[in-house]
Amino acid sequence: MANDSEQTQDLVGSYFLNLWRLKSKTASKDVEMMNSDNEDEDMEEDDEPVPTELDTVNSSGGFSIVLLDKLSVQYPSVSLHGHDVGVVQANCPAPVKRLFYYFEMYVRSAGAKGTVAIGFTTEGFNLRRQPGWEANSFGYHGDDGLLYRGQGKGEDFGPKYTTGDTVGGGINYASQKLFFTKNGQVVGTVEKDVKGRLYPTIAVHSQNEEVSVNFGKDPFLFDIKAYEAAQRAKQDTSIEKISIPQTASYGIVRSYLQHYGYEETLNVFDEASQTSVPPVTGFHDNGFNEHAMYALTHRKILRKLIMDGKIDDAISNLHEWYPETIQDDTSAICLMLHCQKFIELVRAGRLEEAMDYGKNRFEKFYNLKHYEDLVKDCAALLAYEEPNKSTVGYLLEESQREKVADAVNAIILSTNPDLKDHKSCLHSYLETLLRQLSACFLQKRLLNGNQGEAFHLQRVLLAKNT
């Protein structure tokens, strides 16, 4: 049993140290970006490149001329047959790690025949053929209003468009459909049956035709924000149709409060569940409460002490209540507590005291390679006049206190003699459920050719609060 307990405590320590390291790396990158002269405040999700102009390298053989702005195209010749098309792709494919992508084309002149087109094509597409005439391509054509998708015969789709009209093309990664617009209104949708990356594409095919594209640098005529809101509302509606037993949802929330030692909130929650209409019953025995009540009062007290910065009191109580958790003075939990004590001294401006404390407490950790980087992060606080604005400023945030409090909470749960699953002390059921939800979203994206946005809880919460 002693070996099992030690293994569990090692598991807990490694887990929270890795969380700390992840935060350290993220904080360093954030500060580098803040100080960089080349920072792009509008960088897309996952740093994906986005189309910004038309491709001027790959050519349709003189049947189109890309103007100096790299956003406008003219047809200079007289078309004689179906291989005289002037097709131009964007300078990179549409980004995929998002809910949707959209661009627009304005028809400056429909020329002799008005055979302009907007659509999507794959890499290596024949730039002498209209989008939609060849396999793995889609095109909404201006002269007949038809939609072409991979063959020469078009389908009834929408109205024709000509000089002065603005048309748009988009990809909805959630529904796996393409959509097209005319003058700010959706014309129609079509199944996106191509898994590969798609390039925004435009085409001209008769003398004096001229079009220009907007990849998002200027406002779109189509209300893209309203479209996004409608799509997300549609997703929310489908989710809300799923029925979850009230006892299950209450049990999940209750287990979260138990897991993290929020005893007072738990008592209020239990009282409210009994006075609701109708009262919620049965969730105490639905399997969510296994071992979660263990040492609840002690865990509540220790969390409050750490969140208040009273680290000495927290260490003293651990010595009294759970001495086995800090018996090894070089353990991960001891490192986190001593580092937090050092951080609190810096926060209070007691720098000489912090320096002495660091000299006395950090030496044994410096000699352990797997701790060296974290100890250096803490010591670096003394090197800055304004440490909160430095690469190690994250240590002074409330989230660092919370991380230490969570680690202490987990290490106490690991001492439960009835604990069956060692990993259960790391997460509440609610967090496990959210992890599974994230995994399902990633799997869905993988099945769609790694296209579509991932699940971001923060984004969902922010959307609910606006």
Side-chain angles (χ1 to χ4, degrees):
M1 289 296 292
N3 288 336
D4 286 345
S5 177
E6 289 176 6
Q7 289 176 359
T8 304
Q9 290 183 23
D10 288 343
L11 172 70
V12 171
S14 297
Y15 175 78
F16 283 98
L17 289 184
N18 286 334
L19 284 183
W20 183 354
R21 286 191 175 94
L22 182 62
K23 178 65 176 177
S24 174
K25 291 177 182 178
T26 303
S28 295
K29 289 180 180 178
D30 288 346
V31 172
E32 285 175 9
M33 288 185 64
M34 286 172 61
N35 296 331
S36 172
D37 292 333
N38 297 318
E39 179 189 1
D40 182 1
E41 294 181 355
D42 298 320
M43 186 170 290
E44 295 296 332
E45 183 177 340
D46 293 331
D47 297 340
E48 278 192 289
V50 296
T52 55
E53 59 187 37
L54 295 170
D55 182 7
T56 57
V57 177
N58 298 306
S59 169
S60 58
F63 291 103
S64 64
I65 297 177
V66 179
L67 302 186
L68 292 177
D69 63 2
K70 296 184 180 181
L71 296 172
S72 304
V73 177
Q74 291 178 337
Y75 192 89
S77 309
V78 176
S79 62
L80 298 177
H81 48 70
H83 288 276
D84 289 348
V85 187
V87 176
V88 188
Q89 295 178 319
N91 61 340
C92 70
V96 297
K97 296 178 181 178
R98 49 175 61 196
L99 180 62
F100 63 89
Y101 172 76
Y102 180 76
F103 78 109
E104 287 184 340
M105 177 183 82
Y106 174 69
V107 183
R108 291 181 177 175
S109 173
K113 298 179 182 178
T115 47
V116 294
I118 185 172
F120 294 94
T121 58
T122 53
E123 186 175 9
F125 181 76
N126 184 353
L127 300 180
R128 297 276 296 276
R129 297 284 285 168
Q130 284 274 15
W133 282 3
E134 301 286 325
N136 300 322
S137 68
F138 306 84
Y140 172 35
H141 292 204
D143 60 324
D144 53 20
L146 299 182
L147 177 76
Y148 294 79
R149 47 173 172 168
Q151 55 186 353
K153 185 178 180 181
E155 308 169 12
D156 288 338
F157 188 68
K160 301 176 184 180
Y161 55 91
T162 185
T163 303
D165 287 328
T166 297
V167 289
I171 308 171
N172 186 325
Y173 292 110
S175 64
Q176 285 294 294
K177 290 184 178 182
L178 305 179
F179 64 96
F180 293 93
T181 67
K182 177 186 175 183
N183 295 334
Q185 301 297 320
V186 175
V187 171
T189 62
V190 60
E191 291 292 333
K192 177 185 170 292
D193 51 10
V194 176
K195 292 297 182 184
R197 304 289 292 267
L198 293 175
Y199 285 75
T201 305
I202 60 173
V204 287
H205 194 195
S206 73
Q207 192 171 23
N208 296 325
E209 288 178 357
E210 182 176 344
V211 298
S212 60
V213 292
N214 177 15
F215 290 119
K217 182 179 180 181
D218 298 318
F220 292 124
L221 185 61
F222 178 62
D223 191 340
I224 202 72
K225 290 186 178 179
Y227 176 81
E228 178 180 6
Q231 296 304 304
R232 294 195 185 281
K234 190 180 296 184
Q235 288 182 337
D236 290 345
T237 300
S238 63
I239 292 171
E240 289 169 1
K241 289 180 180 178
I242 301 172
S243 177
I244 300 176
Q246 196 174 29
T247 54
S249 58
Y250 266 72
I252 291 172
V253 173
R254 192 173 192 273
S255 73
Y256 178 86
L257 299 175
Q258 288 175 325
H259 180 90
Y260 286 106
Y262 296 124
E263 186 178 23
E264 294 173 0
T265 306
L266 177 64
N267 292 335
V268 174
F269 183 80
D270 283 347
E271 184 179 345
S273 69
Q274 298 305 310
T275 57
S276 64
V277 181
V280 182
T281 59
F283 60 82
H284 293 269
D285 304 313
N286 61 6
F288 288 118
N289 304 305
E290 186 181 11
H291 314 315
M293 295 297 288
Y294 177 76
L296 181 62
T297 300
H298 284 172
R299 290 188 287 119
K300 177 196 75 171
I301 293 170
L302 288 166
R303 176 174 293 278
K304 188 171 190 316
L305 287 173
I306 294 170
M307 294 305 295
D308 289 343
K310 299 176 180 178
I311 308 303
D312 286 337
D313 291 342
I315 293 174
S316 176
N317 283 333
L318 276 174
H319 269 298
E320 179 182 350
W321 297 334
Y322 308 96
E324 68 272 28
T325 63
I326 51 177
Q327 187 173 0
D328 177 4
D329 63 357
T330 61
S331 66
I333 200 69
C334 285
L335 169 71
M336 295 186 75
L337 285 166
H338 287 307
C339 284
Q340 193 60 37
K341 170 63 177 179
F342 177 85
I343 292 166
E344 297 301 339
L345 291 172
V346 174
R347 190 198 308 273
R350 295 153 61 183
L351 302 185
E352 289 188 10
E353 196 174 338
M355 192 176 299
D356 291 338
Y357 188 87
K359 286 180 181 179
N360 294 328
R361 298 292 185 176
F362 287 170
E363 183 177 358
K364 59 189 173 187
F365 295 115
Y366 265 124
N367 296 327
L368 301 173
K369 287 292 183 183
H370 54 292
Y371 293 155
E372 186 179 2
D373 57 332
L374 301 177
V375 177
K376 284 182 176 179
D377 262 18
C378 289
L381 286 169
L382 296 174
Y384 298 94
E385 290 185 9
E386 296 181 285
N388 59 308
K389 296 181 180 179
S390 70
T391 56
V392 292
Y394 74 93
L395 293 170
L396 298 170
E397 296 174 359
E398 284 294 293
S399 60
Q400 185 67 16
R401 282 179 171 174
E402 190 169 9
K403 198 176 281 88
V404 176
D406 288 348
V408 169
N409 182 78
I411 210 75
I412 294 173
L413 286 174
S414 75
T415 66
N416 185 350
D418 296 325
L419 187 69
K420 296 177 182 178
D421 180 5
H422 297 317
K423 292 183 178 180
S424 65
C425 59
L426 299 177
H427 312 291
S428 67
Y429 286 106
L430 176 59
E431 289 164 309
T432 301
L433 181 64
L434 290 172
R435 284 167 173 262
Q436 182 62 31
L437 181 60
S438 298
C440 289
F441 265 80
L442 289 173
Q443 181 64 22
K444 179 183 177 183
R445 187 164 76 172
L446 184 63
L447 293 173
N448 288 331
N450 204 29
Q451 299 180 5
E453 64 181 357
F455 173 74
H456 295 287
L457 179 61
Q458 186 176 13
R459 176 188 292 157
V460 174
L461 295 176
L462 287 173
K464 292 293 184 184
N465 292 327
T466 56

